[in-house]
Amino acid sequence: MAGEALVPTKRWLAATSAGSAMRDAVAGLVLSILLVPQAMAYAQLAGLPPQMGLFAALTPPLLYLFFGTSPFVSVGPVALVSLVIGEAVGNTGLAPEVGAAIIAIEAGVLLLLLGGFGLGRLVNFISEPVLLGFTAAAAFLIAASQLPTLLGIDAARAGDLPTALSGLWAGLSELRPTTALIGGAALIALLFANRYAAAILWKMGVKPPFRLALAKSLPLLVIVIAGWIALSLRGANVPTVQSIEGGLPSPFTSFVTLSDWIGLLPSALAVAVIIFVTATAVAKALAGEDRSKLDTSREAVALGAANVSAALTGGYAVGASLSRSALVRDSGGRTPLASAIASLAIVAVLFFLAPLLSYLPRTALAALVISAVFGLIDLREMRAVWRHDRMEGVIILAAFLATLAFGVRLGLAVGALLGLAYFLWFSSVPRVTRVGTDDGGTSFRSIERDDVELTTLPALVVRIDRSIYFANAAYIEEELFNRLSRHEGVTSLVLDMSAVNDIDASGVAMLRRSVQRLKSQGIALHFAEVHEPIAASLTSLDSQVCRFHRTVGQAVEEGCGVYLQTEIAPT
């Protein structure tokens, strides 16, 4: 029901017990160890001050607690959204902080409208192949955007791969060897930790949840060590993050013109789509086999409220992180209270550790971003899609190349349009196949695909393997009469309608034309296994020509011969 998702729920609070609260507290503290450096690194990716990343991690988990439906989802700064924000605000004359806040508010409002009107299922219109190609390309763009920072090069932000690589090439003469060495060492250490830390700790006998806590604290440890090395090499002038003001953020009070809001609306729409699609994918991935409790409309409302609140409290657009959400689950978290506790840890950092954060080298944060984006590339799933359908594999490649060439916003649009175009083409050319039987009419199978002979003549049995609508009605009509033209002496056409789940006005009109053509040729039309709603739509067909039967066997055995001889025998 429209508007139902806008009502807060006490579901998670009601499910909380002393035991689950303790597990959530442990999971929240483990999560905060990873969240602090990631929030700062993703803000840097977006071209924003690092404290905006920390601010963006404060209120969104609280909003998700009251509106969300997944027990594990961690809402906060994410790499993909940060990349889009950086690309969008870099093309405006606004201050980056203001532009990012406006995009977050607009994206949040769009998500609230989407969920409020119960339109959460619209997420299904972006296909899995499109997402695979898009996110893989985004990983390359994110890495390319962070390479200059990793190497100590000052380069303009770029939204596509050719521009990013040309800017990197042009700035190689300004490379800072010490900065590049620290960043490269940090990247290698982070990749090693991500791949082997948990296994090494397991072999050392470290028990859960301490094993997971130690493994996930290594990125923070790497960045702190990189900061200590950079501080000890004062003469190397390694760039560090901007100084962070302690305490809570100030509310958003900037006022800009209406044209600025309108100009940023396309970027906000892209951000809203990316947030919703990726967050839904994360929630479904962590739900396992039981997805019955996930409500996509409520998820949209939760994400919308989280983004508006993030913007109003000094942050920028947020999404759901797969790595952090999986960490909550693996750490023993049972409700979104774990993410809320992590946000409280962020408050403690802002009050007590803010001055120390300014010593962290930017190159180490860039290494953290690069090491994190490898999870966006799912080669195993891409291979599975390619084996299933080569055309969908081509869509993966097209979305990948379009995103690299044109940037995230246009790449996603191109991929989505290609996915929809493929769906429309695929549904416009349904399989219309002749079927026969080799067991006396108990079952009927395609003679084109199976080793079955056509033994029903002079009754020709044809199965339509898709719903009939305006885009495929003419094709189905043409294929039906093509099948009839292959056989002489056909006296009845049996349509197996078991796979037809819907039919629109164009489909009914096509069948009406077909009935008249068949009548003129002295051929009866028998429908078999018609779903009741479809049968109701076909009541306007000529009853002198058409008959309906429960099964294909009954249509062949009971209706065809008698009906032809008594009703429409040719003159």
Side-chain angles (χ1 to χ4, degrees), residues 58-79:
L58 294 179
T59 59
L62 301 177
L63 273 299
Y64 191 87
L65 176 65
F66 289 101
F67 291 98
T69 58
S70 170
F72 308 118
V73 164
S74 171
V75 180
V78 290

Side-chain angles (χ1 to χ4, degrees), residues 84-97:
V84 181
I85 295 293
E87 179 185 350
V89 299
N91 296 326
T92 68
L94 296 172
E97 299 88 339

Side-chain angles (χ1 to χ4, degrees), residues 204-516:
M204 292 172 61
V206 181
K207 303 295 184 181
F210 302 105
R211 181 170 67 225
L212 187 62
L214 288 174
K216 295 304 179 181
S217 65
L218 289 179
L220 180 59
L221 179 62
V222 169
I223 292 174
V224 170
I225 292 175
W228 175 76
I229 294 174
L231 185 62
S232 64
L233 301 175
R234 292 184 180 274
N237 194 24
V238 177
T240 59
V241 300
Q242 301 176 20
S243 59
I244 296 179
E245 299 179 2
L248 297 177
S250 301
F252 176 74
T253 56
S254 298
F255 295 96
V256 294
T257 63
L258 180 61
S259 61
D260 292 321
W261 287 82
I262 296 175
L264 289 171
L265 193 55
S267 297
L269 177 60
V271 168
V273 171
I274 292 170
I275 290 171
F276 187 42
V277 170
T278 55
T280 304
V282 168
K284 288 181 177 180
L286 297 178
E289 296 180 358
D290 183 14
R291 299 180 179 180
S292 60
K293 295 182 180 180
L294 291 178
D295 185 331
T296 53
S297 294
R298 279 198 169 275
E299 288 295 300
V301 169
L303 294 166
N307 274 276
V308 173
S309 70
L312 297 179
T313 54
Y316 70 104
V318 297
S321 167
L322 177 58
S323 61
R324 296 199 302 267
S325 301
L327 177 60
V328 171
R329 180 195 61 186
D330 297 340
S331 301
R334 291 295 177 265
T335 72
L337 186 61
S339 295
I341 291 173
S343 69
L344 295 178
I346 298 292
V347 174
V349 169
L350 288 169
F351 272 102
F352 301 109
L353 299 178
L356 299 178
L357 296 178
S358 61
Y359 292 106
L360 298 180
R362 297 179 61 198
T363 182
L365 294 180
L368 177 62
V369 173
I370 295 174
S371 68
V373 298
F374 285 95
L376 296 176
I377 305 174
D378 193 343
L379 294 177
R380 179 183 300 178
E381 190 63 27
M382 290 181 187
R383 287 193 293 266
V385 172
W386 177 260
R387 290 193 296 267
H388 170 72
D389 190 327
R390 296 297 171 86
M391 189 61 200
E392 290 195 289
V394 171
I395 291 176
I396 293 177
L397 179 61
F400 178 81
L401 294 177
T403 304
L404 290 182
F406 306 121
V408 174
R409 289 173 295 174
L410 286 178
L412 180 61
V414 170
L417 289 175
L418 286 174
L420 289 173
Y422 175 67
F423 165 75
L424 290 174
W425 171 256
F426 181 71
S427 63
S428 69
V429 287
R431 185 182 296 109
V432 180
T433 182
R434 295 170 296 168
V435 297
T437 181
D438 57 1
D439 55 11
T442 301
S443 63
F444 288 82
R445 294 180 292 159
S446 171
I447 67 171
E448 278 87 3
R449 296 196 313 272
D450 302 313
D451 188 19
V452 180
E453 295 183 0
L454 190 60
T455 58
T456 60
L457 295 175
L460 178 64
V461 184
V462 177
R463 187 177 67 235
I464 302 172
D465 285 344
R466 192 164 296 275
S467 295
I468 306 173
Y469 72 114
F470 65 92
N472 63 21
Y475 176 83
I476 291 173
E477 181 180 6
E478 180 181 353
E479 289 297 300
L480 286 177
F481 285 94
N482 283 341
R483 300 296 183 272
L484 281 170
S485 66
R486 298 181 186 181
H487 306 278
E488 295 183 358
V490 173
T491 57
S492 58
L493 173 65
V494 177
L495 288 185
D496 180 353
M497 301 283 283
S498 58
V500 179
N501 296 313
D502 194 15
I503 185 170
D504 68 357
S506 299
V508 174
M510 178 273 291
L511 290 176
R512 191 178 297 114
R513 291 194 305 270
S514 299
V515 166
Q516 296 305 314

